[in-house]
Amino acid sequence: MPTVEISHISKSFGSTRAVDDVSFRVEKGEIFGLLGPNGAGKTTTIRIILDIFKPDSGQVSVLDGSLDETKKNRIGYLPEERGLYKDQKLETVLLYLGTLKGMEMSAANERLGEWLHRFDLYQHRHKKVQELSRGMQQKAQIIATLLHEPDLIIVDEPFLGLDPVNTRLIKEIIEEQRFAGRTIIMSTHQMYQVEALCNRIVLVNHGRTVLYGEVEQIKRDFAGNAVVIEGQGDFSDLPGVLQTRRENSDWHLALQPGTNPQDVFRALAAREGIKIERFEIAEPSLDDIFISVVKGDDEVEGVDNG
Amino acid sequence: MGKLWLVAKREFLLRVSRRTFLVTTFAVPLGFAALIAVGVFIAIKSAEKRPVGYVDNSGVLDPAIVPSLNEIDDTVEIRVYQDVSVAQIDLESGDIQAYFVLPEDYRRSQQVAVYYWEEKPGDDAWEAFNNFLRVNLLAGLPEDRRQRVLEEPEWTVRSVDGRRQVTAGIGILNLILPFIASFIFYLSVMTSGGYLLQAIADEKENRTIEVMVTSLTPEQLIGGKTAGLLAVVLTQLTVWIITIVIALITAATMLESFPTLSVPWSFLLVVALYLLPTFVLIAGIMTAIGVMVTEAKQGNQIAGVINLAFMAPWFLSAMIFTNPDHPVLVILTMIPFSAFLTTAMRWSITAIPAWQLIVSWLLLVASAGFSLWGSARIFRLGMLRYGKQFSLRTALGALRNRRSWIKSGGRPSEVS
């Protein structure tokens, strides 16, 4: 039984279709990436899962059925719009949020101490939230998400505003939670984090599912959609290429779906002032796939609309 | 219920630990106590206890006939003078504060002349001489008739239908109480309504609302905040009532002339019955405003206008005292906003017909329920509209039975 199952959900706000026939399953104990560009419908989808919004159509199953008040205690949510009671002491706020999730005060107190130590916030526990730095507040919010040991963790941009040390810490914690058997839905724009952490992903664009499956399988499917070139000359504005970027001495070209690397090679050969030392079909990064799919989808949208 | 209690507890502790609460709660009774103390001090200071004299040219008064202690407790000595000139010398030297002269034809004219130096004789002096005069005039009467005249008349006014009666002594209290009630109402209930507005707007401003609604229902959140603030109001009222009772007991002990007061239970019952639904009504309205505005400051301005609607009967005090059954006041009794104050103020002056009380209370309770229900709906719709104005039209849309609106959650601030 999947922890979360979304079946053909749609949601409109006035004339804007925020989510359009999206379906996916999140299995127990996996880290699931919910990806998409800004305005794609990710947050709306999360809010539908959490019953903040009702879908216009489609079915949502969370923790084996529809979401009720008891199940809310089994969910930890880190929203993109972060917020804590600023004029109150950190410890007071976190204990309050923990007890609202059904924890006993004594248990919340004990567990909070451990988390505060781990996040290096213990000595700041009596400070008002507004006196803490942005990064500290971000860490406090993550504690509030995990304090009650939820079965389902939904984190929207968990690495936002964190330095590399804390980013690594959060990454470790997310992995720990997975090992502990908890299910995690993670929405982020940091593709290398998705690549490192997620088992499976869904990519939504314009409210629709454009990619869904296992990360490794998706990468295999997209092999050939990117090439790496070493050489001299201008490698930009090639036909069939969505994006060209330089990494050290290499050029990485993300190809439009349907574009054959041989066509790119021919186009390069025909271009003046180009010297190619290496031309290699690359396994695309998730970043490349993201750009390839989203830009390709946008172009199709543009053609459709035009 | 558990989560509602948690929210209520937090809200209560948060508010009572604020400086504004401490100042409002303790400054008011301290001010009241100071006022009473100043009054007592002035009364004691100004009490003129020097003797008064009299010259009786009519032969009515007998110096031997003086009021007995159980009849009247006089503290001013009364001196008899045979000659006006001697009395005048004592007056000028300050030995006496005044002297009275009964003319020869006093029995016919019933006029008494009083002579004083610069300042009029004090109340105690008047009272002492009046009592002395009365005792002497009644000297020839049989004992029972004498007693009846000497004792103060005790009157009771009853309404024709027999539902209300006013006894001497509580008249002043009847007039003062509505003002005390409306003052307390304004200071406590309206301020707490403002707190609630602030609390809801804060949730939005702090961006905590999204976490809150994934932990508890909007009804639990709003209900908890309302209950917590109601507890704040009750705490404040308890402190004030205790202070008022202590102040009144102190004043009554220290001032002999302090009027006898009895507890106006019927008035207190009316206040208790109207206060709770009025508070809920205010809470609902303030919650809705808190959801609709983008920041607390903006909400406070709107709340000021709402406060005026609740305090409107105050501006019609003159009408309430002169014509308490005026149709305008009957209408104000029925309107939930003004029901509490209008009823409280009219209660002291007139016998409000039972049907008016029943209809007005039922309307108030119904509107309080509607207000709480409506605010929860508006809350659901507006909670995620960060930094965005919420039009009245949208709010009305939420109140109408349009399920699709509520289902859609309105247009969010951001679709991502």
Side-chain angles (χ1 to χ4, degrees):
Chain A
M1 198 65 164
T3 306
V4 175
E5 185 166 14
I6 303 281
S7 302
H8 305 286
I9 57 160
S10 294
K11 178 80 190 166
S12 296
F13 299 107
S15 58
T16 312
R17 202 152 178 85
V19 178
D20 186 5
D21 196 29
V22 167
S23 300
F24 58 83
R25 288 155 69 107
V26 183
E27 301 296 338
K28 188 176 183 314
E30 75 167 330
I31 303 178
F32 185 83
L34 176 56
L35 315 177
N38 294 329
K42 301 187 299 292
T43 301
T44 305
T45 306
I46 290 174
R47 287 175 179 172
I48 289 172
I49 294 172
L50 291 168
D51 200 35
I52 296 172
F53 293 160
K54 301 278 184 205
D56 298 336
S57 60
Q59 300 294 319
V60 181
S61 166
V62 179
L63 297 165
D64 200 10
S66 53
L67 190 62
D68 55 30
E69 289 309 306
T70 333
K71 283 183 190 168
K72 281 185 176 178
N73 289 353
R74 296 171 58 199
I75 298 175
Y77 176 42
L78 176 74
E80 190 184 11
E81 289 276 3
R82 311 277 201 263
L84 292 169
Y85 298 106
K86 293 194 170 22
D87 58 347
Q88 284 180 60
K89 287 177 186 166
L90 175 66
E91 190 178 48
T92 314
V93 173
L94 293 177
L95 286 174
Y96 174 58
L97 294 177
T99 49
L100 280 183
K101 284 288 187 185
M103 292 184 82
E104 289 296 323
M105 183 54 97
S106 54
N109 229 326
E110 193 180 322
R111 218 176 286 160
L112 180 62
E114 293 165 16
W115 278 111
L116 288 172
H117 277 297
R118 184 153 187 206
F119 276 102
D120 216 11
L121 287 173
Y122 192 78
Q123 64 275 32
H124 303 289
R125 68 191 186 284
H126 297 310
K127 282 185 184 167
K128 285 186 177 175
V129 171
Q130 63 198 7
E131 292 166 13
L132 303 176
S133 72
R134 214 169 146 187
M136 285 175 176
Q137 289 185 32
Q138 163 85 341
K139 289 193 283 183
Q141 191 105 32
I142 290 166
I143 295 177
T145 310
L146 302 173
L147 186 65
H148 57 291
E149 297 187 340
D151 295 324
L152 171 63
I153 299 162
I154 301 176
V155 284
D156 203 346
E157 292 295 347
F159 307 105
L160 201 72
L162 291 177
D163 60 35
V165 175
N166 285 309
T167 300
R168 179 173 289 183
L169 178 63
I170 299 300
K171 211 169 141 185
E172 278 171 20
I173 287 167
I174 289 175
E175 282 184 320
E176 265 174 33
Q177 297 295 318
R178 180 195 10 207
F179 287 129
R182 297 186 182 116
T183 310
I184 298 134
I185 298 176
M186 182 170 75
S187 174
T188 181
H189 287 121
Q190 297 184 12
M191 290 302 142
Y192 62 97
Q193 302 291 12
V194 176
E195 221 166 327
L197 288 167
C198 294
N199 310 70
R200 296 186 312 123
I201 58 161
V202 64
L203 178 61
V204 286
N205 193 30
H206 300 298
R208 290 193 306 271
T209 309
V210 288
L211 206 59
Y212 172 50
E214 280 182 20
V215 174
E216 288 311 312
Q217 185 58 48
I218 288 170
K219 283 171 81 171
R220 278 198 294 276
D221 290 347
F222 274 77
N225 268 50
V227 293
V228 180
I229 304 166
E230 200 180 331
Q232 283 119 41
D234 180 15
F235 296 99
S236 59
D237 295 329
L238 286 162
V241 175
L242 288 169
Q243 193 202 44
T244 307
R245 69 170 195 278
R246 183 126 201 206
E247 277 180 23
N248 302 322
S249 60
D250 295 344
W251 290 87
H252 283 246
L253 276 57
L255 310 188
Q256 237 172 31
T259 302
N260 191 323
Q262 300 306 323
D263 298 336
V264 178
F265 188 76
R266 271 193 286 274
L268 282 170
R271 189 174 273 195
E272 292 283 320
I274 294 278
K275 188 181 170 193
I276 297 171
E277 289 159 7
R278 182 163 63 98
F279 185 92
E280 189 181 302
I281 296 170
E283 183 184 71
S285 66
L286 217 45
D287 217 21
D288 292 329
I289 295 171
F290 183 95
I291 291 160
S292 164
V293 172
V294 170
K295 276 203 168 177
D297 190 47
D298 287 351
E299 279 176 17
V300 171
E301 278 273 315
V303 170
D304 286 351
N305 296 337
Chain B
M1 191 63 194
K3 290 184 180 179
L4 190 145
W5 162 245
L6 283 171
V7 177
K9 195 174 106 183
R10 174 187 169 270
E11 207 60 46
F12 176 78
L13 293 174
L14 189 70
R15 298 297 154 189
V16 296
S17 61
R18 292 257 162 99
R19 199 176 301 151
T20 44
F21 172 83
L22 297 173
V23 168
T24 327
T25 308
F26 295 103
V28 168
L30 281 176
F32 190 75
L35 213 65
I36 294 272
V38 168
V40 168
F41 179 75
I42 291 172
I44 291 171
K45 259 309 232 196
S46 62
E48 176 64 89
K49 297 296 180 189
R50 280 182 300 158
V52 290
Y54 73 90
V55 178
D56 180 18
N57 297 319
S58 65
V60 170
L61 303 175
D62 179 354
I65 303 173
V66 289
S68 63
L69 279 179
N70 64 349
E71 281 171 349
I72 277 110
D73 182 18
D74 285 334
T75 51
V76 175
E77 183 199 340
I78 295 168
R79 287 182 189 171
V80 56
Y81 291 94
Q82 301 306 323
D83 198 326
V84 170
S85 57
V86 181
Q88 185 65 27
I89 291 165
D90 278 3
L91 178 69
E92 285 175 22
S93 67
D95 283 355
I96 55 172
Q97 52 177 310
Y99 66 89
F100 299 86
V101 178
L102 273 71
E104 279 180 28
D105 64 342
Y106 170 75
R107 281 196 187 277
R108 192 174 52 79
S109 71
Q110 302 208 334
Q111 296 288 317
V112 178
V114 60
Y115 296 86
Y116 57 86
W117 198 253
E118 289 179 350
E119 283 190 22
K120 283 182 183 174
D123 290 344
D124 290 345
W126 284 107
E127 200 181 338
F129 186 74
N130 275 338
N131 288 333
F132 175 61
L133 191 57
R134 281 165 70 204
V135 168
N136 273 275
L137 288 172
L138 297 170
L141 288 178
E143 182 58 23
D144 60 332
R145 287 174 66 190
R146 203 177 75 90
Q147 280 302 328
R148 271 185 60 194
V149 178
L150 279 178
E151 281 169 7
E152 291 282 333
E154 227 172 67
W155 48 265
T156 299
V157 181
R158 286 196 182 86
S159 64
V160 180
D161 59 9
R163 285 192 305 113
R164 294 282 311 279
Q165 67 172 43
V166 177
T167 311
I170 66 163
I172 296 168
L173 200 64
N174 269 348
L175 291 176
I176 296 171
L177 265 180
F179 285 95
I180 295 178
S182 50
F183 178 67
I184 289 176
F185 173 77
Y186 181 76
L187 216 62
S188 185
V189 181
M190 297 308 290
T191 322
S192 296
Y195 280 155
L196 185 61
L197 184 152
Q198 181 88 36
I200 297 288
D202 278 354
E203 296 276 357
K204 261 182 99 176
E205 271 184 56
N206 285 335
R207 304 284 196 266
T208 41
I209 211 88
E210 210 165 346
V211 169
M212 296 305 285
V213 294
T214 51
S215 303
L216 66 173
T217 62
E219 286 79 9
Q220 283 172 325
L221 183 63
I222 296 172
K225 281 180 182 287
T226 308
L229 290 171
L230 182 63
V232 173
V233 171
L234 293 178
T235 308
Q236 220 163 31
L237 287 180
T238 309
V239 172
W240 291 348
I241 288 169
I242 289 172
T243 317
I244 288 171
V245 169
I246 291 173
L248 290 177
I249 291 171
T250 312
T253 315
M254 297 185 77
L255 289 179
E256 287 158 10
S257 59
F258 199 77
T260 314
L261 302 176
S262 55
V263 181
W265 292 111
S266 62
F267 177 78
L268 294 179
L269 180 71
V270 168
V271 168
L273 280 175
Y274 274 72
L275 195 66
L276 184 66
T278 305
F279 181 79
V280 174
L281 174 66
I282 294 170
I285 293 171
M286 294 302 176
T287 304
I289 296 172
V291 171
M292 288 166 71
V293 297
T294 49
E295 52 185 37
K297 206 187 289 175
Q298 193 187 2
N300 286 332
Q301 289 165 355
I302 302 172
V305 180
I306 302 287
N307 286 358
L308 271 183
F310 277 91
M311 298 306 289
W314 239 17
F315 304 110
L316 297 172
S317 302
M319 186 192 272
I320 290 172
F321 284 120
T322 52
N323 191 359
D325 296 320
H326 193 281
V328 170
L329 298 175
V330 175
I331 292 169
L332 284 178
T333 308
M334 300 298 154
I335 297 173
F337 287 106
S338 49
F340 173 79
L341 272 194
T342 316
T343 308
M345 290 170 85
R346 285 180 71 205
W347 185 264
S348 322
I349 314 293
T350 184
I352 305 173
W355 72 266
Q356 286 184 21
L357 287 171
I358 294 167
V359 174
S360 135
W361 190 77
L362 288 176
L363 282 173
L364 178 62
V365 170
S367 63
F370 177 77
S371 145
L372 214 56
W373 168 84
S375 66
R377 285 194 94 145
I378 291 172
F379 181 87
R380 276 181 187 276
L381 196 64
M383 60 196 172
L384 297 172
R385 298 164 66 91
Y386 302 128
K388 285 205 168 183
Q389 200 85 31
F390 191 95
S391 72
L392 202 60
R393 192 177 152 267
T394 320
L396 291 174
L399 294 181
R400 275 187 239 122
N401 191 21
R402 291 167 62 182
R403 270 196 68 75
S404 59
W405 264 75
I406 301 301
K407 271 178 73 181
S408 75
R411 188 186 294 274
S413 58
E414 185 191 346
V415 180
S416 55

